[in-house]
Amino acid sequence: MTISHSNPQSADSRTGSQAEQPIILLDKVNKWYGDFHVLKNVDLAVRKGERIVICGPSGSGKSTLIRCVNRLEEHQGGTILVDGVELNDNTKNIGHIRREVGMCFQHFNLFPHMTILENLIFAPIWVRKMPRAEAVETAMHYLNRVNIAEQAHKYPGQLSGGQQQRVAIARSLCMAPKIMLFDEPTSALDPEMIKEVLDVMAELAEEGMTMLCVTHEMGFAKSVADRVIFMDGGEIVEQNTPTEFFDNPQVDRTQAFLSQILHN
Ligand SMILES: Nc1ncnc2c1ncn2[C@@H]1O[C@H](COP(=O)(O)OP(=O)(O)OP(=O)(O)O)[C@@H](O)[C@H]1O
Ligand SMILES: [Mg+2]
């Protein structure tokens, strides 16, 4: 079965100049939680197919930043464009973005009372209005992709953490997203399960998925990312290719952070 990640608005159907536009564009994005200025003039342009790893100390705004990209959080200043659509109060725009952007969190958020298969077909049937047989076929395709098809009829509680996280990734893929956001998808896992999830993410990257990953898995960043972004205090402090970022960090705060995480 061929599963297409394109839709009628895909870059392929656009004119050449539009196809060059970043798929995610943040321009001077500012966000406050009450008085607390959590994102400060964040500029970020992500090309289609680019793999970005975001790292930085706890509380630096990494989760807030990626949650703004699918409007789980609202920004108050600046502009966010995703796939050419501006994120604002227009609920039609938000609906469009949510269909294009898949998200995978630290905790898997699977429905505990549904089997793995039911978890995967739920949104395609109810949100995408996909016929059930097609939804099941798509779900089994992606469960195979993450090497877990034999678990389709189990409940989430019967799976290991690594297996549940792979199910969560497969569930996102069933919605044919153009962009995947990951927020520390391996940080709640036991060490022996981390690799199986990172391997699935690396495969996705290889297939050209645009990815924004908050992670402190620096091996993953080195081997998969096109660009590593370091955040501190709500700002993007430094960004570079993984090689430059790790071997030649420019800013004191990045050096201090790297020496902490690499020596632990
Ligand atoms: N809903 C909220 N209301 C108020 N403050 C919040 C809220 N969510 C996050 N914050 C604060 O905003 C700051 C950034 O939080 P965020 O979760 O984006 O950080 P993070 O970089 O993802 O941290 P971690 O590495 O611990 O996940 C923190 O100081 C946090 O306490
Ligand atoms: Mg976070």
Side-chain angles (χ1 to χ4, degrees), residues 98-124:
R98 296 254 172 92
R99 283 191 294 276
E100 304 295 347
V101 182
M103 183 149 186
C104 183
F105 302 91
Q106 179 176 13
H107 298 288
F108 333 118
N109 302 313
L110 298 173
F111 297 119
H113 59 291
M114 293 184 187
T115 66
I116 300 308
L117 183 63
E118 287 164 351
N119 263 280
L120 265 68
I121 64 177
F122 185 80

Side-chain angles (χ1 to χ4, degrees), residues 121-137:
I121 64 177
F122 185 80
I125 290 176
W126 293 101
V127 180
R128 287 255 199 240
K129 312 291 178 208
M130 196 184 272
R132 187 184 167 88
E134 189 185 337
V136 168
E137 191 183 357

Side-chain angles (χ1 to χ4, degrees), residues 56-64 66-67 106 183-184 214 216:
S58 181
S60 56
K62 306 178 298 296
S63 295
T64 305
I66 66 163
R67 289 166 64 86
Q106 179 176 13
D183 192 357
E184 303 205 43
V214 176
H216 291 151

Side-chain angles (χ1 to χ4, degrees), residues 194-212:
I194 291 176
K195 186 174 177 302
E196 64 191 39
V197 172
L198 293 177
D199 285 350
V200 165
M201 291 167 64
E203 273 175 39
L204 260 186
E206 238 167 66
E207 289 164 15
M209 179 67 79
T210 306
M211 293 170 49
L212 246 63

Side-chain angles (χ1 to χ4, degrees), residues 15-56:
T15 63
S17 64
Q18 281 177 315
E20 305 294 316
Q21 295 293 316
I23 192 163
I24 302 172
L25 183 65
L26 278 70
D27 184 27
K28 301 225 166 5
V29 169
N30 282 280
K31 175 172 177 59
W32 287 263
Y33 287 121
D35 292 339
F36 180 63
H37 198 178
V38 61
L39 295 179
K40 299 172 185 161
N41 282 321
V42 174
D43 289 327
L44 177 65
V46 181
R47 295 188 315 275
K48 191 165 182 282
E50 198 175 8
R51 289 83 56 114
I52 292 188
V53 160
I54 303 171
C55 61

